């Protein structure tokens, strides 16, 4: 199994509070991604990173920010959580390069509930 | 219209049958397609990918791609109850690009 750890695995918070989810990898993979998964919507890309300090937006990036100061860590921050951000968040990594970019290894997921 | 579309199911098949999971895509520029399996409460895992027209076989799994008709399918032969999961189809527009996922099809294999 790819070495990917997400924390926290479960979190309940209140509307308006900041939340940070952490993804840590031990594979030294170049690409890291944050997805959210919701019923009826499938997996949607929030943000991704193609290297240290190199990040870009995905299709549902509003209300989220990311940072990657080290190869192994990719942080997802909700500056002011809203109920619409209640979801399961998955971190994924890829070794990158051509078709291998599509070979994603996923973390176990972080279930976030915003009350 | 979603870029990658799948019937949500559930698709129910008896044990030992062939399960056929389908996916259509709207962007003719999409080049490669990936099938992920996700057990309930777990994270997705890659089963196989395909980028050439035709069939690609890997054990009990066969991926099929028809670029003219813009559909991708995954066949699972000799289906087992352990194959019961949600199957996610994902497309990639060009090599090195990001994946766009469909909403997934839930497969239930009846013993």
């Amino acid at each position: 199994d790819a070495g990917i750890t997400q924390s926290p695995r479960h979190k309940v918070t209140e509307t308006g509070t900041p939340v940070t989810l952490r993804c840590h990898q031990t594979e030294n993979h170049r690409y890291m991604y944050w997805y959210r998964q919701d019923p009826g919507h499938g997996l949607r890309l929030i943000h991704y990173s193609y290297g240290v300090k190199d990040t870009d937006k995905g299709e549902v990036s509003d209300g989220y920010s990311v940072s990657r100061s080290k190869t192994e860590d990719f942080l997802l921050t909700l500056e002011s959580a809203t109920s619409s951000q209640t979801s399961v968040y998955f971190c994924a990594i890829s070794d990158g390069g051509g078709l291998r970019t599509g070979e994603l290894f996923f973390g176990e997921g972080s279930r976030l509930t915003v009350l | 219209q979603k870029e990658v579309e799948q019937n949500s199911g559930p698709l129910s098949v008896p044990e030992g049958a062939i399960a056929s999971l389908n996916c259509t895509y709207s962007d003719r520029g999409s080049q490669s397609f990936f099938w992920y399996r996700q057990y309930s409460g777990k994270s997705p895992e890659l089963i196989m990918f395909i980028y050439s027209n035709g069939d690609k076989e890997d054990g009990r799994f066969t991926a099929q791609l028809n670029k003219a008709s813009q559909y991708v399918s995954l066949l699972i032969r000799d289906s087992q109850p352990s194959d019961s999961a949600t199957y996610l189809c994902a497309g990639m527009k060009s090599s090195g690009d990001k994946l766009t996922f469909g909403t997934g099809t839930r497969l239930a294999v009846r013993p």
Side-chain angles (χ1 to χ4, degrees), chain A residues 89-111:
Chain A
Y89 292 86
F90 284 102
C91 174
I93 64 175
S94 169
D95 205 10
L99 284 175
R100 299 198 65 180
T101 310
E103 297 180 41
L104 302 181
F105 299 94
F106 286 84
E108 294 179 307
S110 296
R111 183 174 295 275

Short mmCIF file of all heavy atoms in Angstrom, two decimals, chain A residues 89-111:
data_model
loop_
_atom_site.label_atom_id
_atom_site.label_comp_id
_atom_site.label_asym_id
_atom_site.label_seq_id
_atom_site.Cartn_x
_atom_site.Cartn_y
_atom_site.Cartn_z
N TYR A 89 -13.25 13.95 2.27
CA TYR A 89 -12.13 14.50 1.54
C TYR A 89 -11.05 13.44 1.36
O TYR A 89 -10.65 12.79 2.32
CB TYR A 89 -11.55 15.71 2.28
CG TYR A 89 -12.50 16.88 2.28
CD1 TYR A 89 -13.51 17.00 3.24
CD2 TYR A 89 -12.41 17.86 1.29
CE1 TYR A 89 -14.39 18.06 3.22
CE2 TYR A 89 -13.28 18.93 1.26
CZ TYR A 89 -14.28 19.03 2.23
OH TYR A 89 -15.16 20.09 2.20
N PHE A 90 -10.62 13.28 0.13
CA PHE A 90 -9.57 12.31 -0.18
C PHE A 90 -8.34 13.03 -0.69
O PHE A 90 -8.42 13.90 -1.56
CB PHE A 90 -10.02 11.32 -1.25
CG PHE A 90 -10.97 10.27 -0.76
CD1 PHE A 90 -12.33 10.38 -1.02
CD2 PHE A 90 -10.51 9.16 -0.06
CE1 PHE A 90 -13.22 9.41 -0.58
CE2 PHE A 90 -11.39 8.19 0.39
CZ PHE A 90 -12.75 8.32 0.13
N CYS A 91 -7.21 12.64 -0.15
CA CYS A 91 -5.93 13.04 -0.70
C CYS A 91 -5.47 11.93 -1.64
O CYS A 91 -5.73 10.75 -1.38
CB CYS A 91 -4.92 13.24 0.43
SG CYS A 91 -3.24 13.57 -0.12
N ALA A 92 -4.83 12.31 -2.71
CA ALA A 92 -4.28 11.31 -3.63
C ALA A 92 -2.89 11.76 -4.07
O ALA A 92 -2.58 12.96 -4.07
CB ALA A 92 -5.19 11.13 -4.85
N ILE A 93 -2.07 10.78 -4.43
CA ILE A 93 -0.74 11.09 -4.92
C ILE A 93 -0.51 10.36 -6.23
O ILE A 93 -1.17 9.35 -6.53
CB ILE A 93 0.36 10.70 -3.91
CG1 ILE A 93 0.39 9.19 -3.66
CG2 ILE A 93 0.17 11.46 -2.60
CD1 ILE A 93 1.55 8.73 -2.76
N SER A 94 0.42 10.87 -7.01
CA SER A 94 0.76 10.26 -8.27
C SER A 94 2.24 10.47 -8.54
O SER A 94 2.79 11.54 -8.20
CB SER A 94 -0.08 10.87 -9.40
OG SER A 94 0.40 10.47 -10.65
N ASP A 95 2.84 9.47 -9.14
CA ASP A 95 4.26 9.60 -9.49
C ASP A 95 4.44 10.52 -10.68
O ASP A 95 5.52 11.00 -10.96
CB ASP A 95 4.83 8.21 -9.80
CG ASP A 95 6.32 8.16 -9.57
OD1 ASP A 95 6.87 9.12 -9.00
OD2 ASP A 95 6.95 7.18 -9.98
N GLY A 96 3.30 10.74 -11.42
CA GLY A 96 3.33 11.69 -12.51
C GLY A 96 4.03 11.19 -13.74
O GLY A 96 4.54 10.09 -13.77
N GLY A 97 4.00 12.03 -14.75
CA GLY A 97 4.68 11.69 -15.99
C GLY A 97 3.76 10.94 -16.94
O GLY A 97 3.54 9.75 -16.76
N GLY A 98 3.25 11.63 -17.94
CA GLY A 98 2.43 11.00 -18.95
C GLY A 98 1.21 10.33 -18.37
O GLY A 98 0.53 10.87 -17.51
N LEU A 99 0.96 9.10 -18.83
CA LEU A 99 -0.23 8.38 -18.39
C LEU A 99 -0.17 8.08 -16.90
O LEU A 99 -1.21 7.90 -16.25
CB LEU A 99 -0.38 7.08 -19.17
CG LEU A 99 -0.89 7.22 -20.60
CD1 LEU A 99 -0.86 5.86 -21.29
CD2 LEU A 99 -2.28 7.80 -20.62
N ARG A 100 1.00 8.01 -16.33
CA ARG A 100 1.11 7.69 -14.90
C ARG A 100 0.46 8.75 -14.04
O ARG A 100 0.18 8.53 -12.88
CB ARG A 100 2.57 7.49 -14.52
CG ARG A 100 3.24 6.36 -15.27
CD ARG A 100 4.49 5.91 -14.58
NE ARG A 100 4.22 5.32 -13.29
CZ ARG A 100 5.14 4.85 -12.48
NH1 ARG A 100 6.41 4.91 -12.85
NH2 ARG A 100 4.83 4.33 -11.31
N THR A 101 0.23 9.93 -14.62
CA THR A 101 -0.47 10.96 -13.87
C THR A 101 -1.86 10.50 -13.47
O THR A 101 -2.43 10.97 -12.50
CB THR A 101 -0.56 12.25 -14.70
OG1 THR A 101 0.74 12.57 -15.19
CG2 THR A 101 -1.06 13.42 -13.87
N GLY A 102 -2.43 9.60 -14.25
CA GLY A 102 -3.76 9.09 -13.94
C GLY A 102 -3.77 7.96 -12.95
O GLY A 102 -4.83 7.51 -12.52
N GLU A 103 -2.60 7.46 -12.59
CA GLU A 103 -2.51 6.38 -11.61
C GLU A 103 -2.42 7.00 -10.23
O GLU A 103 -1.35 7.31 -9.73
CB GLU A 103 -1.29 5.52 -11.90
CG GLU A 103 -1.34 4.82 -13.23
CD GLU A 103 -0.09 3.98 -13.46
OE1 GLU A 103 0.35 3.32 -12.51
OE2 GLU A 103 0.44 4.00 -14.59
N LEU A 104 -3.58 7.19 -9.65
CA LEU A 104 -3.66 7.83 -8.34
C LEU A 104 -3.70 6.80 -7.23
O LEU A 104 -4.35 5.77 -7.34
CB LEU A 104 -4.90 8.71 -8.25
CG LEU A 104 -5.05 9.82 -9.29
CD1 LEU A 104 -6.33 10.61 -9.03
CD2 LEU A 104 -3.85 10.74 -9.27
N PHE A 105 -3.02 7.13 -6.14
CA PHE A 105 -3.10 6.34 -4.91
C PHE A 105 -3.77 7.24 -3.88
O PHE A 105 -3.31 8.36 -3.64
CB PHE A 105 -1.71 5.92 -4.45
CG PHE A 105 -0.99 5.07 -5.43
CD1 PHE A 105 -0.13 5.64 -6.36
CD2 PHE A 105 -1.18 3.70 -5.47
CE1 PHE A 105 0.54 4.86 -7.29
CE2 PHE A 105 -0.52 2.91 -6.40
CZ PHE A 105 0.34 3.50 -7.31
N PHE A 106 -4.84 6.72 -3.30
CA PHE A 106 -5.65 7.54 -2.41
C PHE A 106 -5.37 7.25 -0.94
O PHE A 106 -5.08 6.11 -0.55
CB PHE A 106 -7.15 7.27 -2.67
CG PHE A 106 -7.65 7.88 -3.94
CD1 PHE A 106 -7.51 7.22 -5.15
CD2 PHE A 106 -8.27 9.12 -3.92
CE1 PHE A 106 -7.98 7.78 -6.33
CE2 PHE A 106 -8.74 9.70 -5.09
CZ PHE A 106 -8.60 9.02 -6.30
N GLY A 107 -5.51 8.29 -0.15
CA GLY A 107 -5.51 8.11 1.29
C GLY A 107 -6.85 7.56 1.74
O GLY A 107 -7.75 7.35 0.93
N GLU A 108 -6.99 7.33 3.03
CA GLU A 108 -8.17 6.69 3.57
C GLU A 108 -9.37 7.62 3.69
O GLU A 108 -10.48 7.17 3.96
CB GLU A 108 -7.85 6.06 4.93
CG GLU A 108 -6.86 4.92 4.84
CD GLU A 108 -6.55 4.33 6.19
OE1 GLU A 108 -6.17 5.10 7.10
OE2 GLU A 108 -6.68 3.10 6.35
N GLY A 109 -9.16 8.89 3.49
CA GLY A 109 -10.26 9.84 3.53
C GLY A 109 -10.42 10.51 4.88
O GLY A 109 -10.08 9.93 5.93
N SER A 110 -10.93 11.72 4.84
CA SER A 110 -11.25 12.48 6.05
C SER A 110 -12.70 12.92 5.97
O SER A 110 -13.08 13.62 5.03
CB SER A 110 -10.34 13.71 6.17
OG SER A 110 -9.00 13.36 6.32
N ARG A 111 -13.49 12.47 6.93
CA ARG A 111 -14.91 12.83 6.93
C ARG A 111 -15.09 14.09 7.74
O ARG A 111 -14.80 14.11 8.94
CB ARG A 111 -15.75 11.70 7.50
CG ARG A 111 -17.25 11.97 7.47
CD ARG A 111 -18.05 10.76 7.92
NE ARG A 111 -17.91 9.64 7.00
CZ ARG A 111 -18.64 9.48 5.91
NH1 ARG A 111 -19.56 10.37 5.58
NH2 ARG A 111 -18.47 8.43 5.15
#
